[in-house]
Amino acid sequence: MRNKNNRLICTSEYVRINGIDQFLYHLGTSFDNPVMLFLHGGPGSAESLFTGLFQDRWEEIYTVVHWDQRGAGKTLTKNPDKLPTIDLMLQDLFEVIQYLKKKYKKKKIVIFGHSWGSVLGSVFIRKHPEDVEYYIGAGQVIGMVENEQVGYNKVKEMIKNADDKKSLKKLESIGEYPGSKTVFDKEFLRKCNVVRKLQGKYKLGMEIGIDIWIAVLKSPIFKFSDIIAFMKIFKANSKVYSFLEDFNLRRESKEYKVPVYYILGERDWQAPHVIAEDYFKDIKAPNKDIFIIPDAGHFLMMDQPDLVFDALSKISKEEKNVQCFL
């Protein structure tokens, strides 16, 4: 595997986790740095191939470990019949963290959850706060129905303000959206696809441009089997999507036992930042802070890598200062 930046830590491996071999990708510049476990989105959308677009400077302050979750990326390729449920994934995550604690001789691990990863991370830190130094949610999901309702209303507002009759006709053609509950069946996914494309047109959500695909092809860990795995994610993660349909953090206690930080894109209406901001105001945690990244969408790390790094630097310094007083 190429190590273009001559990093001290640059390793890809399969580790036996919860009965199957799962893929981990480690990048860093010092064994003294905190270890950050990156929980990717989806479910099923491994982001280990995108590191070249945003992560180089992160490695100055963290050892960053990407995990292709069960049902995603290289772990799915290796285990096509070992598909995830939420309980399996929580146990997987627990075992990954135990492995990293032992490997790097750390008492706790930093969790960075992006999109679906913010769901998995938010559930996990309630169950195992003793293993987590602090939690960072990016593109933080609070509740699926609320997410879709607010995102739909925003793009409809933008379309009407632009007097874009063609786009309005497309949006209205899907009928009621999302309904009283999100159900990830073919009909919902068809409607969701229409909404996402219009959100992309109005720069309100995730935008996958040619630069992202070029970065994927240039990744030192890329294989063509990764593309095949990506095409299988909905079928492979059907049981996790069933869990996600009814997910709502507002129904849980707002008290957290670990520090909580949110980094949100100002123009992210796929996981609308306004919902996460509203929820964040009421949470109680040993330490907390929120960062709104201007001109950034759902893939905020790629849209504004320098500003996201600045937020991570502030979080890292804040946590180091706290540790000095303990």
Coordinates of all heavy atoms in Angstrom, one line a residue, residues 8 20 29 41 61 73 92 155 163 173-174 182-183 188-189 207 213 230 237 265 282 286 288 291 307-308 319:
L8 N 3.9 8.0 9.8 CA 4.4 7.0 10.7 C 3.4 5.8 10.8 O 3.8 4.7 10.9 CB 4.6 7.7 12.1 CG 5.0 6.7 13.2 CD1 6.4 6.2 12.9 CD2 5.0 7.5 14.5
I20 N -16.3 -12.3 12.5 CA -16.0 -12.1 11.0 C -14.8 -11.2 10.9 O -14.5 -10.4 11.8 CB -17.2 -11.6 10.2 CG1 -17.5 -10.1 10.6 CG2 -18.4 -12.5 10.3 CD1 -18.6 -9.5 9.7
T29 N 0.3 10.3 12.5 CA 1.7 10.9 12.5 C 2.4 10.7 13.8 O 3.6 10.9 13.9 CB 1.7 12.4 12.2 OG1 0.8 13.1 13.1 CG2 1.1 12.6 10.7
G41 N -21.1 6.9 7.0 CA -22.5 7.1 6.8 C -23.1 5.9 6.1 O -22.6 4.8 5.9
I61 N -3.3 15.7 14.5 CA -3.8 15.7 15.9 C -4.4 14.5 16.4 O -4.7 14.2 17.6 CB -4.7 16.9 16.2 CG1 -5.8 17.0 15.1 CG2 -4.0 18.3 16.1 CD1 -6.9 18.1 15.3
G73 N -18.5 -1.7 2.2 CA -17.1 -1.7 1.7 C -16.4 -3.0 1.7 O -17.0 -4.0 1.3
D92 N -20.2 -5.1 17.2 CA -19.0 -4.9 16.4 C -18.2 -3.7 16.8 O -17.0 -3.7 17.0 CB -19.4 -4.7 14.9 CG -19.9 -5.9 14.2 OD1 -19.9 -7.0 14.8 OD2 -20.5 -5.8 13.1
V155 N -36.4 22.6 0.5 CA -36.2 22.6 -1.0 C -37.4 23.1 -1.7 O -37.3 23.8 -2.7 CB -35.7 21.2 -1.5 CG1 -36.9 20.2 -1.5 CG2 -35.1 21.3 -2.8
D163 N -39.1 30.5 -8.5 CA -40.1 30.3 -9.6 C -39.7 29.2 -10.6 O -39.9 29.4 -11.8 CB -40.4 31.7 -10.3 CG -41.7 31.7 -11.1 OD1 -42.6 30.9 -10.7 OD2 -41.8 32.4 -12.1
S173 N -45.0 15.8 -7.9 CA -45.4 14.6 -8.5 C -45.2 13.4 -7.5 O -45.8 12.3 -7.7 CB -44.6 14.3 -9.8 OG -43.2 14.0 -9.4
I174 N -44.4 13.5 -6.5 CA -44.2 12.4 -5.6 C -45.2 12.3 -4.5 O -45.3 11.3 -3.8 CB -42.8 12.5 -4.9 CG1 -42.7 13.6 -3.9 CG2 -41.7 12.5 -5.9 CD1 -41.4 13.7 -3.1
T182 N -41.0 7.0 8.0 CA -40.1 6.6 6.9 C -40.1 5.1 6.8 O -39.7 4.5 7.8 CB -38.7 7.2 7.1 OG1 -38.2 6.9 8.3 CG2 -38.7 8.7 6.9
V183 N -40.4 4.6 5.7 CA -40.3 3.2 5.4 C -39.4 3.0 4.2 O -39.8 3.4 3.1 CB -41.7 2.5 5.2 CG1 -41.5 1.0 4.9 CG2 -42.6 2.7 6.4
F188 N -40.6 4.6 -1.2 CA -40.0 5.7 -0.5 C -38.7 6.1 -1.1 O -38.3 7.3 -1.2 CB -39.8 5.3 1.0 CG -39.0 6.3 1.8 CD1 -39.6 7.5 2.2 CD2 -37.7 6.1 2.0 CE1 -38.9 8.5 2.9 CE2 -36.9 7.1 2.7 CZ -37.5 8.3 3.1
L189 N -37.9 5.1 -1.5 CA -36.6 5.4 -2.0 C -36.7 6.1 -3.4 O -35.9 7.0 -3.7 CB -35.8 4.1 -2.3 CG -35.3 3.4 -1.0 CD1 -34.7 2.0 -1.3 CD2 -34.4 4.2 -0.2
E207 N -23.5 16.5 -2.4 CA -23.1 16.6 -3.8 C -21.9 15.7 -4.1 O -20.9 15.9 -3.5 CB -22.8 18.1 -4.2 CG -23.9 19.1 -3.9 CD -23.5 20.5 -4.1 OE1 -23.2 20.9 -5.2 OE2 -23.4 21.2 -3.0
W213 N -15.1 11.0 -7.2 CA -14.8 9.8 -7.9 C -13.3 9.7 -8.3 O -12.7 8.6 -8.2 CB -15.7 9.6 -9.2 CG -17.1 9.4 -8.8 CD1 -18.1 10.3 -9.0 CD2 -17.7 8.3 -8.2 NE1 -19.3 9.8 -8.6 CE2 -19.1 8.6 -8.0 CE3 -17.2 7.1 -7.7 CZ2 -19.9 7.6 -7.4 CZ3 -18.0 6.2 -7.1 CH2 -19.4 6.5 -7.0
F230 N -20.6 -1.2 -3.1 CA -21.4 0.0 -2.9 C -22.8 -0.2 -3.6 O -23.8 0.3 -3.1 CB -20.7 1.2 -3.6 CG -21.5 2.5 -3.4 CD1 -21.5 3.2 -2.2 CD2 -22.2 3.0 -4.5 CE1 -22.2 4.4 -2.1 CE2 -22.9 4.2 -4.3 CZ -22.9 4.9 -3.1
N237 N -28.1 -3.9 3.9 CA -28.4 -3.2 5.2 C -29.9 -3.0 5.5 O -30.3 -2.1 6.2 CB -27.7 -1.8 5.1 CG -26.2 -1.9 5.2 OD1 -25.7 -1.9 6.3 ND2 -25.5 -2.0 4.1
G265 N -22.9 21.4 8.7 CA -22.8 22.2 7.5 C -24.0 23.2 7.4 O -25.1 22.8 7.6
D282 N -30.5 21.7 24.3 CA -31.0 21.1 25.5 C -30.2 19.9 26.1 O -30.6 19.4 27.2 CB -32.5 20.6 25.2 CG -33.4 21.7 24.8 OD1 -33.2 22.8 25.4 OD2 -34.3 21.5 24.0
P286 N -20.7 16.5 30.0 CA -19.6 17.0 30.8 C -18.9 18.3 30.1 O -18.4 19.1 30.8 CB -18.6 15.9 30.9 CG -19.5 14.7 30.7 CD -20.6 15.1 29.8
K288 N -19.5 20.5 26.1 CA -20.2 20.4 24.8 C -19.9 21.7 24.0 O -19.6 22.8 24.6 CB -21.7 20.2 24.9 CG -22.5 21.4 25.5 CD -24.0 21.1 25.4 CE -24.8 22.3 25.7 NZ -26.2 22.1 25.5
F291 N -20.3 23.7 16.2 CA -19.6 24.4 15.1 C -20.5 24.4 13.9 O -20.8 23.3 13.4 CB -18.2 23.9 14.9 CG -17.3 23.8 16.1 CD1 -17.4 22.8 17.0 CD2 -16.5 24.9 16.3 CE1 -16.6 22.7 18.1 CE2 -15.6 24.8 17.5 CZ -15.7 23.8 18.3
L307 N -11.9 24.5 7.3 CA -12.8 24.9 8.4 C -13.2 23.8 9.4 O -13.3 24.0 10.6 CB -14.1 25.6 7.9 CG -13.8 26.9 7.1 CD1 -15.2 27.4 6.6 CD2 -13.1 27.9 7.9
V308 N -13.4 22.6 8.8 CA -13.6 21.4 9.7 C -12.4 21.1 10.5 O -12.5 20.8 11.7 CB -14.1 20.2 8.8 CG1 -14.2 19.0 9.7 CG2 -15.5 20.5 8.2
E319 N -10.4 19.7 24.9 CA -10.3 18.5 25.7 C -9.0 18.3 26.4 O -9.0 17.8 27.5 CB -10.6 17.3 24.8 CG -12.1 17.2 24.4 CD -13.0 16.9 25.6 OE1 -12.6 16.1 26.5 OE2 -14.0 17.6 25.8

